Amino acid sequence: MAKPKQTASVTDTIIAWIDRGDLLPGGQIDEKHLMDICGVSRTPVREALIQLEADGLMVRHPRKGIRVFEPTVEEFLSILELHANLEAHATELAALRISPIQKTELTQAVDACRNFASADQAGNHTEYYALNMRFHEVIALASANPFLIDLIKLNARKLMAYYRLRYRTPSAIETSVREHITIAECILNHDAKAARQAMADHFNYDRETVMHMIASVR
């Protein structure tokens, strides 16, 4: 059995690749490369992959090896439905629990998104994606529920590559910013019901949009 720190190091490396977009849905895992990068034997690599497979981030194919989870349209919609509810619940809790410091952080996150859009940087969708992630992170942390936060992170990683490329679509950034402003206003006004609905609406993608998001990664 591998040392826990070695397995964690491999897991963290793979997750970092997914978060940065270096490892996309359907991408194959090279165990030897991971061993070299992390400086470990095959055992911690395989233990890490087993854990990520259990989390649904990896899929083992008999002939293709282990690959990053790549959802079908139906799977995408099912995960999105769950993720929307997790984010909406976190937003509802944030409206009830947000601290004064977190209110400032939320305002700063919204302002950063708004300023980005005002500067007409629509072509730099990668930078906006980072600002968007910060906005959602502040809200999740304000929910003050660590288990909910972990679930949000796990589900987000299954769709992260698609969310990132969504902002290539014309007007997607402007729409996102407007929705961020509405969500933040509800939270700052401690209107939990409205905050929950506003976040749910934020994730209300139609089937055609989902199909475009999936196609953009392939």
Side-chain angles (χ1 to χ4, degrees):
M1 182 176 291
K3 295 180 180 179
K5 287 186 178 180
Q6 291 180 328
T7 302
S9 173
V10 177
T11 302
D12 291 345
T13 297
I14 295 173
I15 286 176
W17 288 348
I18 293 173
D19 289 353
R20 291 199 306 264
D22 296 336
L23 194 54
L24 297 176
Q28 187 167 14
I29 300 297
D30 185 333
E31 293 187 21
K32 181 63 168 61
H33 181 58
L34 273 170
M35 291 165 58
D36 293 340
I37 289 291
C38 300
V40 298
S41 66
R42 190 175 298 276
T43 299
V45 168
R46 292 190 169 173
E47 288 185 358
L49 292 175
I50 288 171
Q51 180 59 56
L52 291 170
E53 187 179 1
D55 289 340
L57 290 174
M58 298 289 155
V59 178
R60 191 180 300 272
H61 298 277
R63 298 181 181 177
K64 298 180 180 179
I66 297 182
R67 294 179 178 268
V68 180
F69 171 69
E70 183 177 22
T72 63
V73 173
E74 298 306 325
E75 287 172 335
F76 188 107
L77 290 169
S78 295
I79 296 169
L80 180 63
E81 180 180 43
L82 173 61
H83 191 64
N85 277 282
L86 292 172
E87 290 265 7
H89 186 50
T91 306
E92 181 179 14
L93 293 177
L96 300 172
R97 300 174 177 177
I98 192 167
S99 69
I101 292 177
Q102 289 169 331
K103 284 184 177 182
T104 300
E105 292 173 342
L106 180 59
T107 300
Q108 290 172 341
V110 172
D111 286 344
C113 292
R114 188 189 345 235
N115 293 338
F116 180 93
S118 299
D120 192 24
Q121 300 183 70
N124 191 0
H125 64 276
T126 301
E127 182 177 342
Y128 181 75
Y129 177 73
L131 297 176
N132 173 71
M133 289 292 289
R134 174 56 181 164
F135 171 79
H136 286 275
E137 178 186 37
V138 171
I139 293 174
L141 291 173
S143 75
N145 185 321
F147 297 99
L148 178 58
I149 293 168
D150 285 344
L151 284 173
I152 288 173
K153 287 179 179 178
L154 176 60
N155 277 275
R157 287 193 175 102
K158 294 177 183 178
L159 303 179
M160 193 166 285
Y162 306 97
Y163 290 153
R164 183 183 291 106
L165 295 179
R166 176 174 179 258
Y167 297 110
R168 289 179 176 176
T169 306
S171 77
I173 291 177
E174 290 77 7
T175 299
S176 175
V177 171
R178 287 196 302 271
E179 293 174 353
H180 284 183
I181 292 170
T182 299
I183 293 166
E185 287 176 347
C186 293
I187 293 174
L188 295 174
N189 289 330
H190 301 289
D191 190 338
K193 184 177 179 179
R196 183 185 185 95
Q197 186 59 55
M199 183 61 85
D201 291 343
H202 187 52
F203 282 93
N204 187 22
Y205 304 151
D206 58 38
R207 188 181 182 89
E208 182 178 358
T209 298
V210 169
M211 291 177 70
H212 284 315
M213 291 168 72
I214 290 176
S216 67
V217 175
R218 292 173 177 170

